[in-house]
Amino acid sequence: ALPIWFSLMHYRITPMTTIRPIPLILLALAATSLAAFAQTTDDRQATFFMGRVKYSANDGNDCGGVGQELMQLVSRASTIKVQEERKVRLTDPEVFDTPFLFMNGHNDFVLTEPELANLRKYLGHGGFFFASGCCSNPGFPKAWRREFSRIFPNEKVKPIPYDHLIYRSFYRIDRIRCLNEPRDIQLEGLFYEGNLVAVMCADGLCCAFSANNTCNSGKGVSPEDGQKLTLNIAVYALTH
């Protein structure tokens, strides 16, 4: 049997008419539903928010502080109580107790068939996946597009247009400009049955929200846009 959070994550909160930052009560409602599951398995009275993914030959330590920074960013902007980051492999049973997974990296990778099978079940039953390429290295985003396009038949990773709700879920984001190239930056995503289930940013988003772009200086997403975009992704995952 799949954990109760899979059904909770399918609960839809009607988008508010305003496109300014949403009231913290909305995050509190999302936190309450997730906490209902967390408190049945953990007496620390904190919503477990994120699993840091170890995948293929990657040990989950690229740009090591980004997992903690991601959780702290969400905690500072909401009433959500956050436990410590958990490292999980895609083949671990603990994946199915973790409603939000995060992965990042610098290099090419290939997912095994068991990893793909677990992702197919995880994403098909309400889990949400966030990925970020480190330091604007092209190897990781290229691999992520290829490997995540293998998960569902006829579902390929594609750019997420700026009219999607993920750009409105907390802050209104009309466009994001790349720091080192004359182009807009768009999130890329994998959809399943019309629902966005996995999101990736190729342009050093983790460097922007975590390290103030010190490891990706002058490239990719600015630190200010990086924090806004990351918070939008987290709020979208919690409310959709």
Side-chain angles (χ1 to χ4, degrees):
L2 293 173
I4 190 172
W5 69 261
F6 277 102
S7 61
L8 291 173
M9 291 294 285
H10 284 296
Y11 179 75
R12 295 290 186 270
I13 297 176
T14 303
M16 302 182 68
T17 54
T18 178
I19 48 179
R20 297 298 178 186
I22 60 175
L24 294 186
I25 186 63
L26 184 57
L27 287 182
L29 289 172
T32 299
S33 64
L34 286 176
F37 170 69
Q39 290 171 10
T40 64
T41 59
D42 193 328
D43 60 3
R44 286 180 287 180
Q45 303 298 306
T47 303
F48 176 64
F49 178 72
M50 192 197 75
R52 179 81 175 273
V53 174
K54 298 188 284 187
Y55 58 94
S56 187
N58 188 292
D59 60 4
N61 287 322
D62 285 59
C63 297
V66 298
Q68 292 293 336
E69 291 290 336
L70 172 57
M71 293 188 296
Q72 289 169 14
L73 176 64
V74 174
S75 292
R76 288 195 299 267
S78 72
T79 58
I80 298 172
K81 296 179 181 179
V82 181
Q83 290 183 17
E84 73 279 2
E85 170 189 64
R86 253 182 226 177
K87 297 279 185 71
V88 294
R89 290 200 174 277
L90 290 175
T91 51
D92 291 344
E94 288 78 13
V95 162
F96 299 104
D97 296 326
T98 312
F100 188 102
L101 292 176
F102 172 73
M103 73 185 294
N104 64 317
H106 293 82
N107 304 312
D108 189 11
F109 64 91
V110 176
L111 297 177
T112 66
E113 288 302 324
E115 287 175 324
L116 289 169
N118 261 17
L119 278 171
R120 194 170 296 121
K121 183 185 293 185
Y122 175 83
L123 297 174
H125 290 81
F128 192 89
F129 204 107
F130 170 34
S132 174
C134 292
C135 305
S136 298
N137 283 24
F140 176 89
K142 182 178 179 180
W144 197 89
R145 295 181 193 108
R146 182 192 67 233
E147 295 303 300
F148 273 65
S149 292
R150 297 171 60 202
I151 295 173
F152 299 116
N154 304 316
E155 294 284 2
K156 304 298 182 184
V157 172
K158 57 187 179 183
I160 304 173
Y162 278 118
D163 61 0
H164 192 276
L165 186 58
I166 200 166
Y167 298 106
R168 306 287 189 274
S169 59
F170 194 82
Y171 292 100
R172 173 173 180 149
I173 299 174
D174 293 314
R175 70 190 304 212
I176 305 164
R177 293 296 289 171
C178 180
L179 292 177
N180 61 307
E181 296 178 9
R183 62 179 175 88
D184 290 342
I185 289 172
Q186 280 182 276
L187 296 173
E188 299 172 60
L190 180 67
F191 290 78
Y192 177 68
E193 296 183 345
N195 297 315
L196 179 61
V197 295
V199 172
M200 188 271 292
C201 182
D203 295 277
L205 179 55
C206 58
C207 307
F209 75 75
S210 174
N212 203 36
N213 252 17
T214 54
C215 60
N216 198 38
S217 181
K219 296 181 181 179
V221 185
S222 72
E224 181 182 5
D225 284 340
Q227 291 198 13
K228 290 179 179 179
L229 192 54
T230 301
L231 194 55
N232 273 30
I233 293 168
V235 172
Y236 182 87
L238 286 167
T239 56
H240 288 78

